Amino acid sequence: MSRKKLLAGNWKMHKTNAELSAFFESFIAESKGSLSSIDILFALPFTLLQRAKELTQDQNITIAAQNIHHEQSGAFTGEVSIPMLRDIGVTATLIGHSERRQYFGETDESVAKKMLACLAGSITPVVCVGELKEEREQGKTNEVLTRQVEAFLSATRDLKDLIIAYEPVWAIGTGLTATSDQAQEAHAFIRGLVRKHHGELKAESIRILYGGSAKPDNIAELVSKPDVDGGLVGGASLKPSDFAAMAIICAGD
Ligand code: PGA
């Protein structure tokens, strides 16, 4: 089965609304016709979501949050719920990014709860997993991926359109990209876990993105691998020319 490539940008805690408008003006002009043959997603700070929806309404661009709370509403100061995202037309969110696991106490359990809330609320979850440097060095990559991925895969019988992002923590923001062989190996392993829990059809249709210092000069090699269905891009998604170049490369693959 051929899976449509997905290039996703993760802006983390960057940019104002004025910078957002300037970005989209350049990005849409520079990515030319490529937007019709791949899917594009931007995971943005909450303050940019509404304006981003307006700016991209005629484009094949999904606007996503970077986190959600699993409850619908309640006394959770500082949090944002799925109905609140739906209220402004947002249809996707990242979940369990390694920075949220590292700095904000996200666990495999909270990630599974958030995924279930997304599936129930018709929000597409982009669930992030990946091993630390020490875990790779100790040969524990598959063990860590199994724990992280099975925590959410085993929480439901119906995955709908969930997306998985494999982001080795040692490659995020470090300039150290996984080799395309390392990425392929991890992606095939994760797809095998999807197959085990949800069967062949789901395993073949689910998209698995690579993240960690992906940029214009390494994305072609990464997405040439059979199980790498696109990228989740931090730093290089902040520059319209870099991200547009990556979109054009992914569209041509
Ligand atoms: P990076 O970030 O591309 O800057 O390494 C990726 C991510 O954290 O999603």
Side-chain angles (χ1 to χ4, degrees):
M1 181 188 291
S2 84
R3 294 174 292 271
K4 195 172 183 187
K5 291 275 185 297
L6 168 60
L7 185 66
N10 172 14
W11 281 10
K12 310 192 179 186
M13 196 169 72
H14 291 288
K15 294 197 192 286
T16 61
N17 275 282
E19 290 165 336
L20 173 91
S21 303
F23 178 96
F24 276 115
E25 201 174 309
S26 307
F27 173 72
I28 289 168
E30 290 184 41
S31 50
K32 301 185 195 88
S34 66
L35 298 186
S36 55
S37 41
I38 51 166
D39 290 331
I40 298 279
L41 177 150
F42 286 94
L44 302 178
F46 291 123
T47 50
L48 303 182
L49 293 174
Q50 192 151 16
R51 182 82 186 116
K53 284 292 298 176
E54 288 160 18
L55 291 171
T56 58
Q57 61 188 354
D58 303 326
Q59 308 289 337
N60 178 30
I61 294 177
T62 299
I63 299 300
Q66 298 173 359
N67 181 39
I68 45 103
H69 195 280
H70 66 273
E71 294 287 353
Q72 306 266 308
S73 63
F76 300 105
T77 302
E79 294 292 309
V80 171
S81 71
I82 286 169
M84 291 170 179
L85 290 186
R86 302 247 19 142
D87 185 39
I88 55 166
V90 170
T91 53
T93 185
L94 302 186
I95 294 181
H97 187 280
S98 67
E99 287 151 16
R100 298 223 48 94
R101 293 179 191 253
Q102 191 178 349
Y103 306 129
F104 302 100
E106 292 261 1
T107 60
D108 291 337
E109 199 189 353
S110 65
V111 168
K113 272 191 194 160
K114 289 178 182 202
M115 180 206 69
L116 288 175
C118 283
L119 297 179
S122 300
I123 290 269
T124 302
V126 181
V127 188
C128 306
V129 296
E131 80 287 358
L132 302 170
K133 185 164 178 279
E134 310 81 87
E135 292 167 336
R136 176 162 283 266
E137 283 166 359
Q138 291 162 9
K140 290 188 178 156
T141 300
N142 288 354
E143 191 185 312
V144 171
L145 292 178
T146 303
R147 192 198 74 228
Q148 292 178 336
V149 172
E150 291 199 330
F152 62 85
L153 284 186
S154 63
T156 179
R157 295 303 321 143
D158 183 8
L159 280 184
K160 300 190 185 132
D161 61 348
L162 173 125
I163 294 161
I164 298 175
Y166 168 62
E167 299 204 303
V169 179
W170 48 272
I172 296 178
T174 58
L176 284 177
T177 317
T179 65
S180 56
D181 286 339
Q182 285 171 324
Q184 168 58 27
E185 198 185 335
H187 284 224
F189 183 75
I190 292 169
R191 201 177 301 285
L193 293 171
V194 178
R195 187 173 292 114
K196 177 173 146 202
H197 287 269
H198 293 274
E200 184 65 23
L201 260 183
K202 198 71 210 173
E204 284 306 310
S205 65
I206 214 158
R207 289 187 287 191
I208 306 177
L209 311 180
Y210 168 79
S213 300
K215 35 188 185 282
D217 63 8
N218 59 28
I219 192 73
E221 170 67 19
L222 288 160
V223 298
S224 71
K225 296 294 178 179
D227 287 295
V228 180
D229 305 312
L232 177 56
V233 184
S237 74
L238 295 170
K239 281 199 209 138
S241 53
D242 281 359
F243 202 59
M246 295 172 88
I248 291 166
I249 291 166
C250 288
D253 184 66

PDB file of all heavy atoms in Angstrom, residues 10 12 94 97-99 167 171-175 211-214 232-236, ligand 1:
ATOM      1  N   ASN A  10       7.025  21.426  13.666  1.00  0.00           N
ATOM      2  CA  ASN A  10       6.753  21.631  15.099  1.00  0.00           C
ATOM      3  C   ASN A  10       7.454  22.924  15.499  1.00  0.00           C
ATOM      4  O   ASN A  10       8.670  22.957  15.615  1.00  0.00           O
ATOM      5  CB  ASN A  10       7.299  20.429  15.892  1.00  0.00           C
ATOM      6  CG  ASN A  10       7.235  20.656  17.393  1.00  0.00           C
ATOM      7  OD1 ASN A  10       6.564  21.571  17.868  1.00  0.00           O
ATOM      8  ND2 ASN A  10       7.936  19.814  18.143  1.00  0.00           N
ATOM      9  N   LYS A  12       7.275  24.464  18.298  1.00  0.00           N
ATOM     10  CA  LYS A  12       7.614  24.571  19.729  1.00  0.00           C
ATOM     11  C   LYS A  12       7.172  25.946  20.252  1.00  0.00           C
ATOM     12  O   LYS A  12       6.098  26.410  19.883  1.00  0.00           O
ATOM     13  CB  LYS A  12       9.110  24.293  19.933  1.00  0.00           C
ATOM     14  CG  LYS A  12       9.527  22.989  19.238  1.00  0.00           C
ATOM     15  CD  LYS A  12      10.874  22.489  19.605  1.00  0.00           C
ATOM     16  CE  LYS A  12      11.135  21.189  18.850  1.00  0.00           C
ATOM     17  NZ  LYS A  12      12.362  20.530  19.220  1.00  0.00           N
ATOM     18  N   LEU A  94      -0.067  17.190  18.477  1.00  0.00           N
ATOM     19  CA  LEU A  94       1.033  16.318  18.919  1.00  0.00           C
ATOM     20  C   LEU A  94       0.666  15.790  20.303  1.00  0.00           C
ATOM     21  O   LEU A  94      -0.044  16.444  21.059  1.00  0.00           O
ATOM     22  CB  LEU A  94       2.343  17.097  19.059  1.00  0.00           C
ATOM     23  CG  LEU A  94       2.918  17.833  17.861  1.00  0.00           C
ATOM     24  CD1 LEU A  94       4.299  18.408  18.232  1.00  0.00           C
ATOM     25  CD2 LEU A  94       3.051  16.922  16.651  1.00  0.00           C
ATOM     26  N   HIS A  97       5.409  14.539  22.995  1.00  0.00           N
ATOM     27  CA  HIS A  97       6.715  14.958  22.479  1.00  0.00           C
ATOM     28  C   HIS A  97       7.752  14.789  23.587  1.00  0.00           C
ATOM     29  O   HIS A  97       7.450  14.981  24.769  1.00  0.00           O
ATOM     30  CB  HIS A  97       6.644  16.417  22.011  1.00  0.00           C
ATOM     31  CG  HIS A  97       7.890  16.852  21.318  1.00  0.00           C
ATOM     32  ND1 HIS A  97       9.020  17.229  22.015  1.00  0.00           N
ATOM     33  CD2 HIS A  97       8.206  16.921  20.004  1.00  0.00           C
ATOM     34  CE1 HIS A  97       9.972  17.522  21.134  1.00  0.00           C
ATOM     35  NE2 HIS A  97       9.505  17.346  19.913  1.00  0.00           N
ATOM     36  N   SER A  98       8.979  14.473  23.215  1.00  0.00           N
ATOM     37  CA  SER A  98       9.994  14.168  24.249  1.00  0.00           C
ATOM     38  C   SER A  98      10.228  15.358  25.180  1.00  0.00           C
ATOM     39  O   SER A  98      10.561  15.167  26.352  1.00  0.00           O
ATOM     40  CB  SER A  98      11.302  13.729  23.613  1.00  0.00           C
ATOM     41  OG  SER A  98      11.879  14.801  22.918  1.00  0.00           O
ATOM     42  N   GLU A  99      10.033  16.586  24.669  1.00  0.00           N
ATOM     43  CA  GLU A  99      10.206  17.745  25.566  1.00  0.00           C
ATOM     44  C   GLU A  99       9.101  17.779  26.610  1.00  0.00           C
ATOM     45  O   GLU A  99       9.322  18.196  27.745  1.00  0.00           O
ATOM     46  CB  GLU A  99      10.256  19.046  24.739  1.00  0.00           C
ATOM     47  CG  GLU A  99      11.584  19.160  23.995  1.00  0.00           C
ATOM     48  CD  GLU A  99      11.535  19.922  22.694  1.00  0.00           C
ATOM     49  OE1 GLU A  99      10.558  20.653  22.441  1.00  0.00           O
ATOM     50  OE2 GLU A  99      12.488  19.774  21.903  1.00  0.00           O
ATOM     51  N   GLU A 167      11.061   9.893  17.093  1.00  0.00           N
ATOM     52  CA  GLU A 167      12.032  10.970  17.277  1.00  0.00           C
ATOM     53  C   GLU A 167      13.068  10.552  18.304  1.00  0.00           C
ATOM     54  O   GLU A 167      12.844  10.690  19.516  1.00  0.00           O
ATOM     55  CB  GLU A 167      11.324  12.233  17.778  1.00  0.00           C
ATOM     56  CG  GLU A 167      10.278  12.772  16.826  1.00  0.00           C
ATOM     57  CD  GLU A 167      10.030  14.261  17.055  1.00  0.00           C
ATOM     58  OE1 GLU A 167       9.676  14.639  18.175  1.00  0.00           O
ATOM     59  OE2 GLU A 167      10.222  15.029  16.121  1.00  0.00           O
ATOM     60  N   ALA A 171      18.698  13.011  18.763  1.00  0.00           N
ATOM     61  CA  ALA A 171      18.773  13.692  17.462  1.00  0.00           C
ATOM     62  C   ALA A 171      17.977  15.000  17.449  1.00  0.00           C
ATOM     63  O   ALA A 171      18.078  15.769  16.497  1.00  0.00           O
ATOM     64  CB  ALA A 171      18.254  12.765  16.360  1.00  0.00           C
ATOM     65  N   ILE A 172      17.191  15.258  18.500  1.00  0.00           N
ATOM     66  CA  ILE A 172      16.314  16.441  18.486  1.00  0.00           C
ATOM     67  C   ILE A 172      17.098  17.700  18.824  1.00  0.00           C
ATOM     68  O   ILE A 172      17.673  17.813  19.911  1.00  0.00           O
ATOM     69  CB  ILE A 172      15.132  16.261  19.468  1.00  0.00           C
ATOM     70  CG1 ILE A 172      14.248  15.106  19.001  1.00  0.00           C
ATOM     71  CG2 ILE A 172      14.330  17.552  19.572  1.00  0.00           C
ATOM     72  CD1 ILE A 172      13.087  14.813  19.914  1.00  0.00           C
ATOM     73  N   GLY A 173      17.129  18.618  17.876  1.00  0.00           N
ATOM     74  CA  GLY A 173      17.764  19.912  18.101  1.00  0.00           C
ATOM     75  C   GLY A 173      19.276  19.836  18.278  1.00  0.00           C
ATOM     76  O   GLY A 173      19.903  20.798  18.703  1.00  0.00           O
ATOM     77  N   THR A 174      19.875  18.703  17.950  1.00  0.00           N
ATOM     78  CA  THR A 174      21.309  18.520  18.198  1.00  0.00           C
ATOM     79  C   THR A 174      22.142  18.598  16.928  1.00  0.00           C
ATOM     80  O   THR A 174      23.365  18.653  16.999  1.00  0.00           O
ATOM     81  CB  THR A 174      21.571  17.126  18.808  1.00  0.00           C
ATOM     82  OG1 THR A 174      21.059  16.145  17.889  1.00  0.00           O
ATOM     83  CG2 THR A 174      20.896  16.963  20.153  1.00  0.00           C
ATOM     84  N   GLY A 175      21.485  18.554  15.773  1.00  0.00           N
ATOM     85  CA  GLY A 175      22.231  18.486  14.515  1.00  0.00           C
ATOM     86  C   GLY A 175      22.672  17.062  14.198  1.00  0.00           C
ATOM     87  O   GLY A 175      23.209  16.795  13.135  1.00  0.00           O
ATOM     88  N   GLY A 211      11.606  12.247  13.134  1.00  0.00           N
ATOM     89  CA  GLY A 211      11.947  13.582  13.636  1.00  0.00           C
ATOM     90  C   GLY A 211      13.281  13.573  14.356  1.00  0.00           C
ATOM     91  O   GLY A 211      13.653  12.587  15.012  1.00  0.00           O
ATOM     92  N   GLY A 212      14.000  14.666  14.233  1.00  0.00           N
ATOM     93  CA  GLY A 212      15.301  14.798  14.893  1.00  0.00           C
ATOM     94  C   GLY A 212      16.309  15.331  13.900  1.00  0.00           C
ATOM     95  O   GLY A 212      16.894  14.573  13.123  1.00  0.00           O
ATOM     96  N   SER A 213      16.478  16.686  13.900  1.00  0.00           N
ATOM     97  CA  SER A 213      17.424  17.350  13.001  1.00  0.00           C
ATOM     98  C   SER A 213      17.203  17.013  11.524  1.00  0.00           C
ATOM     99  O   SER A 213      18.162  16.929  10.761  1.00  0.00           O
ATOM    100  CB  SER A 213      18.872  17.059  13.428  1.00  0.00           C
ATOM    101  OG  SER A 213      19.092  17.535  14.753  1.00  0.00           O
ATOM    102  N   ALA A 214      15.936  16.820  11.149  1.00  0.00           N
ATOM    103  CA  ALA A 214      15.634  16.662   9.721  1.00  0.00           C
ATOM    104  C   ALA A 214      15.740  18.040   9.070  1.00  0.00           C
ATOM    105  O   ALA A 214      15.309  19.043   9.653  1.00  0.00           O
ATOM    106  CB  ALA A 214      14.233  16.087   9.533  1.00  0.00           C
ATOM    107  N   LEU A 232       8.805  14.969  11.017  1.00  0.00           N
ATOM    108  CA  LEU A 232       8.344  15.945  12.011  1.00  0.00           C
ATOM    109  C   LEU A 232       9.562  16.831  12.274  1.00  0.00           C
ATOM    110  O   LEU A 232      10.578  16.368  12.786  1.00  0.00           O
ATOM    111  CB  LEU A 232       7.864  15.251  13.289  1.00  0.00           C
ATOM    112  CG  LEU A 232       7.417  16.190  14.431  1.00  0.00           C
ATOM    113  CD1 LEU A 232       6.329  17.154  13.987  1.00  0.00           C
ATOM    114  CD2 LEU A 232       6.901  15.363  15.619  1.00  0.00           C
ATOM    115  N   VAL A 233       9.434  18.081  11.873  1.00  0.00           N
ATOM    116  CA  VAL A 233      10.599  18.950  11.742  1.00  0.00           C
ATOM    117  C   VAL A 233      10.503  20.118  12.714  1.00  0.00           C
ATOM    118  O   VAL A 233       9.511  20.852  12.691  1.00  0.00           O
ATOM    119  CB  VAL A 233      10.653  19.505  10.293  1.00  0.00           C
ATOM    120  CG1 VAL A 233      11.912  20.335  10.087  1.00  0.00           C
ATOM    121  CG2 VAL A 233      10.573  18.370   9.278  1.00  0.00           C
ATOM    122  N   GLY A 234      11.508  20.291  13.557  1.00  0.00           N
ATOM    123  CA  GLY A 234      11.531  21.425  14.483  1.00  0.00           C
ATOM    124  C   GLY A 234      12.203  22.619  13.839  1.00  0.00           C
ATOM    125  O   GLY A 234      11.590  23.378  13.084  1.00  0.00           O
ATOM    126  N   GLY A 235      13.501  22.786  14.116  1.00  0.00           N
ATOM    127  CA  GLY A 235      14.259  23.960  13.676  1.00  0.00           C
ATOM    128  C   GLY A 235      14.043  24.346  12.224  1.00  0.00           C
ATOM    129  O   GLY A 235      13.787  25.527  11.919  1.00  0.00           O
ATOM    130  N   ALA A 236      14.114  23.376  11.319  1.00  0.00           N
ATOM    131  CA  ALA A 236      14.031  23.710   9.886  1.00  0.00           C
ATOM    132  C   ALA A 236      12.611  24.070   9.452  1.00  0.00           C
ATOM    133  O   ALA A 236      12.416  24.531   8.323  1.00  0.00           O
ATOM    134  CB  ALA A 236      14.573  22.564   9.037  1.00  0.00           C
TER     135      ALA A 236
HETATM  136  P1  PGA B   1      14.447  19.342  15.384  1.00  0.00           P
HETATM  137  O1  PGA B   1      13.154  19.036  16.297  1.00  0.00           O
HETATM  138  O2  PGA B   1      14.031  19.123  13.956  1.00  0.00           O
HETATM  139  O3  PGA B   1      14.789  20.785  15.677  1.00  0.00           O
HETATM  140  O4  PGA B   1      15.506  18.380  15.813  1.00  0.00           O
HETATM  141  C1  PGA B   1      12.281  17.979  15.994  1.00  0.00           C
HETATM  142  C2  PGA B   1      11.175  17.898  17.022  1.00  0.00           C
HETATM  143  O5  PGA B   1      11.450  18.120  18.222  1.00  0.00           O
HETATM  144  O6  PGA B   1       9.997  17.603  16.698  1.00  0.00           O
END
